Amino acid sequence: GEGVTLKVHFSKKEGAPVRYVSGDDLEEAAAVREVDIRKKFHMRAGNLAKAVKLTEPKSKALRWHLGIDEDPDCLHVFEFGKSSFACFSDNAKNKMKQALADGLDVNAVWRDYKARE
């Protein structure tokens, strides 16, 4: 739409309380913040694998195990004409890093992933 452009600064210590609403519930919103999804979903599968220090196949197995490819906060598929590109957000990287830090056995995940094919 049209209207006044405002700059807003969010602070945890001062000002009025703020309540976040989902992107689907814009009726409740007093203001809408648009996010450039190309900046949010900036990693291709190879970049994500490097970020978590895994090979691409083991990274894919870990994504499968954690359900990352089904999570809209982690994966977005950009479509340009007949081409499509799956890109991942930092949420995907953080989930994968956390699972590895928590001691998840990637080799066991890899075996399970290969067995399902």
Side-chain angles (χ1 to χ4, degrees):
E2 296 179 15
V4 179
T5 301
L6 299 172
K7 286 190 177 185
V8 179
H9 173 77
F10 291 95
S11 172
K12 290 184 179 183
K13 297 180 181 176
E14 52 190 58
V18 174
R19 181 173 64 94
Y20 292 97
V21 296
S22 76
D24 298 331
D25 193 16
L26 298 180
E27 296 285 324
E28 295 288 321
V32 177
R33 177 179 175 229
E34 292 185 18
V35 176
D36 183 354
I37 60 173
R38 289 175 297 172
K39 288 183 180 177
K40 180 176 180 180
F41 299 96
H42 60 92
M43 285 182 281
R44 300 290 304 273
N47 304 111
L48 180 59
K50 285 180 186 175
V52 296
K53 298 180 176 138
L54 292 174
T55 64
E56 287 191 47
K58 285 189 178 181
S59 173
K60 185 174 182 180
L62 181 56
R63 290 187 347 243
W64 166 77
H65 178 77
L66 297 174
I68 286 176
D69 290 7
E70 288 78 39
D71 186 341
D73 288 329
C74 294
L75 171 75
H76 181 79
V77 178
F78 292 96
E79 295 182 2
F80 302 102
K82 294 181 181 178
S83 301
S84 61
F85 305 92
C87 294
F88 299 90
S89 69
D90 288 331
N91 294 336
K93 179 181 74 173
N94 294 339
K95 282 185 179 185
M96 292 171 75
K97 281 189 169 189
Q98 187 62 51
L100 295 170
D102 290 345
L104 181 68
D105 183 357
V106 178
N107 292 322
V109 170
W110 176 243
R111 284 190 300 274
D112 291 346
Y113 178 73
K114 287 192 329 183
R116 69 155 188 81
E117 295 180 333

